[in-house]
């Protein structure tokens, strides 16, 4: 396990097995994934970012299970599901979805399907030209 990942989960050690299962499944299901550990999130890239893990406050603190992590991904459409805690449209036809994951069983075919769709969608996005 990467030292930076261990440091990221230092205050949320109960969530580390959740992350390990998620990363292992993403690496198995999606080719050429790069993982980048940052201060507030761990991001998954192909050419572009398609998903991340964080401890974002998508619910009131009292409503967050222990342990938990938030899985975030972007799609061109909004998903209507009770599993989605928050969905926002920061740009037209670009929806950001946040899912609280509390148990390894929640890293299932449905969640991984959304993440695979997000990886494919990220590949279709064009970068804005600077200048």
């Amino acid at each position: 396990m990467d030292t930076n990942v261990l440091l990221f989960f230092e205050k949320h050690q109960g969530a580390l097995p959740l992350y390990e299962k998620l990363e292992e499944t993403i690496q198995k299901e999606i080719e050429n994934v790069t993982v980048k550990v940052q201060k507030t999130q761990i991001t998954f890239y192909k050419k572009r970012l398609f998903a991340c893990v964080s401890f974002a406050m998508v619910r009131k603190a009292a409503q967050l299970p222990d342990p938990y992590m938030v899985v975030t991904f972007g799609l061109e459409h909004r998903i209507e599901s009770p599993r989605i805690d928050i969905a926002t449209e920061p740009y037209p036809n670009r929806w950001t979805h946040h899912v609280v994951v509390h148990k390894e069983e929640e890293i299932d075919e449905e969640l991984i399907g959304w993440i695979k769709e997000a990886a494919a969608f990220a590949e279709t996005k064009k970068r804005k030209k600077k200048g």
Side-chain angles (χ1 to χ4, degrees), residues 13-96:
Q13 291 184 0
L16 183 58
L18 301 172
Y19 172 78
E20 289 175 321
K21 180 171 182 184
L22 179 70
E23 182 183 344
E24 177 185 317
T25 305
I26 287 173
Q27 294 286 8
K28 187 170 63 176
E29 295 286 330
I30 303 169
E31 293 181 358
N32 303 316
V33 173
T34 302
V35 178
K36 183 176 178 186
V37 181
Q38 299 172 297
K39 187 174 182 176
T40 60
Q41 63 186 18
I42 299 176
T43 54
F44 296 90
Y45 291 86
K46 284 185 59 97
K47 288 182 182 173
R48 295 187 179 84
L49 183 144
F50 64 88
C52 68
V53 168
S54 71
F55 297 104
M57 297 299 290
V58 297
R59 298 180 189 168
K60 292 179 182 177
Q63 295 175 337
L64 286 166
D66 184 30
Y68 84 97
M69 66 181 185
V70 176
V71 178
T72 302
F73 55 89
L75 297 172
E76 66 184 325
H77 59 92
R78 182 181 186 147
I79 294 173
E80 296 295 338
S81 169
R83 295 181 72 179
I84 305 293
D85 281 271
I86 297 174
T88 59
E89 188 179 22
Y91 304 100
N93 300 315
R94 290 191 186 182
W95 286 88
T96 301

Side-chain angles (χ1 to χ4, degrees), residues 67-130:
Y68 84 97
M69 66 181 185
V70 176
V71 178
T72 302
F73 55 89
L75 297 172
E76 66 184 325
H77 59 92
R78 182 181 186 147
I79 294 173
E80 296 295 338
S81 169
R83 295 181 72 179
I84 305 293
D85 281 271
I86 297 174
T88 59
E89 188 179 22
Y91 304 100
N93 300 315
R94 290 191 186 182
W95 286 88
T96 301
H97 300 79
H98 304 278
V99 178
V100 171
V101 173
H102 169 60
K103 298 181 238 166
E104 287 187 39
E105 302 82 59
E106 295 171 333
I107 302 165
D108 59 8
E109 193 174 300
E110 182 177 51
L111 179 62
I112 297 303
W114 292 335
I115 293 170
K116 287 166 71 173
E117 186 179 349
F121 175 59
E123 294 297 300
T124 69
K125 291 192 283 188
K126 294 186 174 153
R127 292 185 180 218
K128 292 182 180 178
K129 291 183 180 177
K130 292 182 181 179

